[in-house]
Amino acid sequence: MPHVKANGVELFYELFGDSSKPTFVMTHGLGGHGRGYENQIEALSAEFQLMLWDMRGFGQSERVPVTEGAYSRWTMAKDLSELLKAIGIGAAHIHGHSLGGLVSQQFAIDYPEQTLSLVIQDTSAEIKQEYLSGWDGMLKTVREQGIGALPFDPQRSWGDPYIESNLEDIRAFTTATAERNAPEVYAEGVRISGPELGAHPVAPDLPGIACPVLVICGDQDRLTPPGGSVRIHRAIPQSKLVILPGSGHFPNVETPDAFNEALLEFLREATSK
C-alpha cells in the first residue's frame, strides 16, 4: 500500500475489506506499528473497512527529525486528520492504544466532524504527580543509553496467563521493538506519554466528546492500570467500559477473541444509530 503525504509527512497505511463499508482506524502505541493488529484484520475487515497506519516516526512512516513541536499528540492527531482527507475518507470510527490512545482522544476533541465513534484502549488521560518520576527516569535512560537499556519487565505490560505460556515471545517482541525504533523518536513518545501529559492532561476536555465511546483495557495492565480507564469512562457521557480478564496492556494480542468481540459489538451498535 502507498505512502501518502499528509501534514507534511510521508505516512504509511494499509486498508483491508470493502471500501463501501464504514472505516475503522486502529492507532498503535509507543514503539509499535499498524501491523501490531494482525489478530484483528480478519475479524474486523469482514464487517468494516479496516485501516492500519504508522504514526510519524514509527513503522514505515517518515522518521521526522526531533524538533520542538514535531512530535506531540496534537501533531499526530492532525496527521491522521490530513491522512483521512488525503485518501478520501470523510469520517471514521477511531481507535487508539496507549500512546495512540492519547492521539485518538485528541483527535476526537479536535476533529469531531471526522469521528464517528471512539475506542480508547489501555491508555490514560492524565498522570498523577507521584508517577511522573518513573516516566522521567525512563526518558533519561532512553535518551542516554538507548531503548535496549530499559529493564526487561514482562509483568509491567503483560498479564500473568500470557507470560506463563509466552515468555520467549514477549522477549522477542521487546527485542524487536528496541531494534525497530530510533531512540530519539521513542524518547519523544515517552515524553508525550509522561511529562507532556502531566503538564497538559486530556482529562479536562473529555466531557466534550459527544460521539459513542468504548473504553477497553486488560484487568492486569500495570503500565496503564484499569483505574485510569474507569476515570476516562466516567468523564465521557456516552461511553461504555469493558475490562477484559486475564489481559495486560495488550489484550489485542493476549485475548484477541474477547477483544475483537467487544470491538465488534460496540461498532455494530455505533453504526446502527
Side-chain angles (χ1 to χ4, degrees):
M1 294 295 290
H3 286 76
V4 169
K5 193 155 194 174
N7 198 24
V9 181
E10 294 287 335
L11 298 172
F12 179 79
Y13 72 97
E14 296 181 279
L15 293 172
F16 304 88
D18 187 342
S19 62
S20 69
K21 296 179 179 178
T23 300
F24 180 55
V25 178
M26 300 195 78
T27 306
H28 63 83
L30 173 61
H33 56 120
R35 275 305 179 108
Y37 302 104
E38 196 77 39
N39 291 333
Q40 282 63 60
I41 293 175
E42 182 177 355
L44 296 179
S45 65
E47 298 187 38
F48 295 86
Q49 176 175 240
L50 177 63
M51 177 178 145
L52 307 179
W53 71 295
D54 298 343
M55 292 190 290
R56 63 167 59 200
F58 298 101
Q60 297 184 58
S61 286
E62 183 180 351
R63 189 172 290 172
V64 180
V66 174
T67 57
E68 186 173 356
Y71 291 90
S72 74
R73 68 176 190 257
W74 296 274
T75 303
M76 292 170 169
K78 187 175 181 181
D79 288 348
L80 178 55
S81 173
E82 295 300 317
L83 173 58
L84 290 173
K85 291 175 185 176
I87 61 179
I89 297 174
H93 302 273
I94 305 296
H95 157 277
H97 174 211
S98 199
L99 171 61
L102 296 178
V103 173
S104 67
Q105 289 174 78
Q106 197 63 51
F107 182 92
I109 292 163
D110 291 349
Y111 309 100
E113 72 284 354
Q114 291 180 273
T115 311
L116 297 175
S117 72
L118 178 63
V119 178
I120 303 170
Q121 178 198 340
D122 293 273
T123 190
S124 305
E126 59 190 337
I127 294 182
K128 293 182 179 180
Q129 190 66 33
E130 57 262 36
Y131 296 130
L132 283 175
S133 61
W135 285 100
D136 290 339
M138 183 178 179
L139 181 59
K140 185 174 187 293
T141 296
V142 174
R143 283 177 170 169
E144 294 181 358
Q145 303 176 55
I147 306 167
L150 294 172
F152 179 64
D153 182 10
Q155 282 76 21
R156 190 163 184 250
S157 297
W158 303 88
D160 294 336
Y162 193 79
I163 293 171
E164 288 175 11
S165 55
N166 297 277
L167 184 59
E168 290 310 309
D169 289 342
I170 293 171
R171 195 181 302 278
F173 175 92
T174 303
T175 300
T177 298
E179 292 175 346
R180 183 177 60 243
N181 287 280
E184 67 273 14
V185 174
Y186 194 94
E188 286 298 281
V190 174
R191 182 187 59 78
I192 294 166
S193 302
E196 185 170 89
L197 182 61
H200 305 285
V202 188
D205 294 323
L206 292 180
I209 297 177
C211 67
V213 176
L214 171 65
V215 184
I216 186 168
C217 66
D219 71 339
Q220 296 184 20
D221 185 350
R222 302 170 184 96
L223 180 60
T224 53
S229 292
V230 172
R231 287 191 291 273
I232 292 172
H233 163 59
R234 289 174 176 168
I236 301 175
Q238 297 190 69
S239 68
K240 174 184 179 182
L241 175 65
V242 173
I243 300 178
L244 297 172
S247 287
H249 192 64
F250 297 95
N252 54 294
V253 175
E254 298 170 67
T255 54
D257 291 342
F259 179 80
N260 293 347
E261 182 180 348
L263 259 60
L264 285 170
E265 180 181 337
F266 168 77
L267 290 169
R268 288 167 188 151
E269 184 176 346
T271 55
S272 69
K273 292 182 178 180

